[in-house]
Amino acid sequence: MNAYRQWLVASVQVGGCSLSVATKPGVLAHGTTDVAAFMLAEAVARRGVAGAPCRSVHLHSGNGLVAAVAGQAGYAVQAYDRYLPNVEATRRTLEASGGAAPRVAHGVLATADMPSGGADLVTIRIPTDRLGVQMAIAEAYRCLAVGGVCLLAGGNDEGVKPAARWLERVFGGVRLDAQHSGHRLLSAVRRAGEPADPAALASPWMNPDHMRATSVSLGAGEFTQYSRPGVFSWEHLDEATAMLAETARIAPGESVLDLGAGGGALGVVAARATQTGRVLLLDADADAVRCAARTVIGAGVHHVEVRASDAGEAVGDARFDVVVTNPPFHVGKATDLAVPRAFIEDSHAHLVPGGRLYLVANRTLPYERWISDCFGTVRTVHDGRRFKVLGATR
């Protein structure tokens, strides 16, 4: 079995709860201890549930540890994560650990299926982007009933101190419950009446359909790329993607697979180059999938499909003439080179004989050996000051 897709299960004890936590490469904190998640889990275990059934919402659920503890404590669990590997890890962890039947969703916000005031507890394992933290706190306030509690944890190097200030701005009070190994656990209670600062909840990003529109001139013409906070390079077209778009050679009629499509710019360029060939865009990020779909529709290219996928998993048995990719190599703040290696292996698996891979990467990343292992040879298509485009033929 491909090592990237080999699931591992670890037995974990938290606050008297016995859990089986699922993980694999690409899942947050794989191979390490997520201190923030353990702090949240221990706090949830201490709270328990008394009396009537209670509902908990878990934002940025990661491997599902916190949600599983909540399930064992008696909460009806709803868990959300924007990254597909984390969603699958949460689902597996909850199934293995028992508790009330959970809902696990691939998304940033709970807006679609959690009514305002419907939750008694919300936990946030903070993301590393500022706007992502602010959205999560606003979503927690929206979800919580009066008297409900928000628990938030993260590292000092992940922005937990600014998160504390935003939590106070929204809830009107925040308590430091614990700190350990450069991490902090915070709590806040939703009180009756208006939020402490209503303007803090007025962000347009709380509307899932609100997207940033960026005019892009790339390849054969101009189009608009749509994006949201947390999507890779969401505020502008990144230099590496532009370089890949200018150097990849796609002939009319060729089929193209874009692994890690982001906001969809490369997919539009590929669709215009192939004219009639099938183009499939894949990304693990729920918001990236929605943004890429809007980008390709707005660009008027109609032979393009966008799917959520962990690496190339959603391709199925299909084969393509060309694969283009700018593979991610961060999971949270950590570097995880198992992810780009999986992209390279999946590229080889889904190319027709004679099919071509075009991959762009930071010049310092050691992808040549992995490409050579899969394809036999590797060539440098373009060598820039910061980025390189590597090519290979199956």
Side-chain angles (χ1 to χ4, degrees), residues 182-232:
H183 293 72
R184 296 182 178 219
L185 171 69
L186 309 168
S187 64
V189 177
R190 175 161 182 177
R191 297 179 172 84
E194 293 293 315
D197 181 359
L201 300 182
S203 168
W205 301 116
M206 292 305 295
N207 174 2
D209 294 324
H210 180 76
M211 298 180 183
R212 180 185 179 94
T214 302
S215 179
V216 173
S217 179
L218 196 62
E222 296 185 353
F223 58 93
T224 299
Q225 177 177 264
Y226 293 92
S227 197
R228 281 179 57 82
V231 175
F232 173 69

Side-chain angles (χ1 to χ4, degrees), residues 28-39:
L28 182 67
H30 174 70
T32 64
T33 297
D34 187 348
V35 175
F38 269 90
M39 295 173 83

Side-chain angles (χ1 to χ4, degrees), residues 77 110 115 130 164 174 183 186 203 219 223 271 278 326 331 368 372 378:
V77 169
R130 176 180 58 85
V174 60
H183 293 72
L186 309 168
S203 168
F223 58 93
R278 180 191 182 192
N326 181 3
V331 177
E368 287 86 348
S372 183
V378 59

